[in-house]
Amino acid sequence: QQTLASGTDFTSETVLITAGGTREAIDPVRFIGNRSSGRMGFAIAEAAQRRGARVILICASTTIPVPAGCEVVCVSSAAEMRAAVLERLNEATIVIMAAAVSDYTVKQAATQKLKREGPRTIELEPTQDILREIAAQRNPATLVIGFAAETSDILANGRAKLERKGVDAVVVNDVSSSALGFDSSRNAGTFLTRERAVEIPAMSKSEMAGQILDEVRRLRSWALK
Ligand code: CTP
Ligand code: CA
């Protein structure tokens, strides 16, 4: 057990963090989900609070309890997450989108529980890209950081996402290894900006959260120069 940094370098920041995995309803009892546990987003929320930030946590489905001391908004679907993020965006000085947002939603969720009858096709339609939308409409002083879950060509895909989404940085994660990343207490990745690629070796999500915030701090001091 190591001592985790606490301090005051985020006291002037309001950090909006999304965490967990969204759920898209198929019918009243079933959904399409993903393996996100919420751990990475929660670790960033805890670290930011320890360093003095006000934290707004927009939380989808998670497997662990929400950290104390944050302003928590609970959501389920990608559409609900989008609405919650847009509603609180103007309060944030830093946005970190750690949530695993569904790329597709069910075009028409059934209002009654579906019965088991023969083969079934469920029609999906794309969700809106929340990160891209907030990066486009933010106040220019607000830093926007995304995550990128990749299984191949990690850095190239990460760079493409940085550009496509117009964000200040992406934390690129290799999610092909089951010992790291999704639903694990450890993670590794690369903090990627247009200027730098900082490798973050395998470590606990709490330690990684600290490193991510160190890099965000660095981005902030450059932005102010
Ligand atoms: N994201 C989002 N809205 C979506 C999908 C993703 O805001 N509808 C955000 C995630 O929270 C993450 C970032 O975009 O911070 C990258 O997510 P990722 O799934 O890696 O990228 P996608 O753009 O969805 O591309 P793909 O899944 O096809 O690789
Ligand atoms: Ca995606």
Side-chain angles (χ1 to χ4, degrees):
Q1 184 78 42
Q2 49 131 54
T3 332
L4 292 159
S6 58
T8 55
D9 60 342
F10 277 76
T11 41
S12 58
E13 309 285 3
T14 298
V15 190
L16 189 157
I17 300 166
T18 66
T22 61
R23 292 177 165 187
E24 305 306 317
I26 295 171
D27 71 12
V29 296
R30 305 182 180 97
F31 59 83
I32 297 171
N34 61 68
R35 290 176 49 202
S36 173
S37 64
R39 283 191 177 88
M40 193 65 242
F42 286 2
I44 298 170
E46 282 171 339
Q49 282 199 99
R50 275 198 306 272
R51 290 163 73 155
R54 174 182 160 215
V55 174
I56 302 170
L57 189 57
I58 315 257
C59 190
S61 171
T62 62
T63 59
I64 54 168
V66 175
C70 304
E71 294 168 44
V72 181
V73 182
C74 296
V75 299
S76 178
S77 65
E80 283 174 30
M81 175 161 281
R82 173 176 176 268
V85 170
L86 291 178
E87 195 180 318
R88 306 298 296 267
L89 182 61
N90 61 0
E91 295 171 57
T93 59
I94 298 172
V95 179
I96 304 180
M97 282 282 300
V101 183
S102 180
D103 291 339
Y104 290 91
T105 190
V106 177
K107 193 163 184 191
Q108 195 133 47
T111 53
Q112 305 294 320
K113 184 184 167 210
L114 295 172
K115 288 296 179 192
R116 185 209 318 240
E117 339 168 282
R120 190 184 287 283
T121 303
I122 297 172
E123 196 176 345
L124 302 180
E125 62 183 3
T127 56
Q128 275 169 285
D129 188 329
I130 306 167
L131 188 57
R132 188 174 177 166
E133 194 175 348
I134 59 177
Q137 70 169 70
R138 68 174 135 164
N139 169 332
T142 305
L143 290 174
V144 178
I145 291 101
F147 272 72
E150 305 293 348
T151 56
S152 65
D153 301 323
I154 316 290
L155 278 187
N157 282 325
R159 286 213 171 83
K161 264 175 203 169
L162 186 70
E163 292 312 326
R164 177 153 46 88
K165 293 177 185 268
V167 294
D168 299 296
V170 286
V171 183
V172 199
N173 266 316
D174 182 348
V175 291
S176 58
S177 151
S178 60
L180 294 172
F182 276 116
D183 214 10
S184 156
S185 63
R186 290 168 69 76
N187 201 4
T190 305
F191 190 93
L192 200 65
T193 66
R194 286 176 186 76
E195 289 78 30
R196 291 160 25 99
V198 181
E199 206 194 316
I200 304 173
M203 58 182 72
S204 74
K205 286 184 175 174
S206 303
E207 291 171 284
M208 181 157 166
Q211 297 225 348
I212 289 170
L213 291 184
D214 290 348
E215 293 305 323
V216 172
R217 184 82 252 143
R218 210 156 278 153
L219 267 177
R220 170 64 88 219
S221 18
W222 284 347
L224 293 177
K225 268 176 199 154

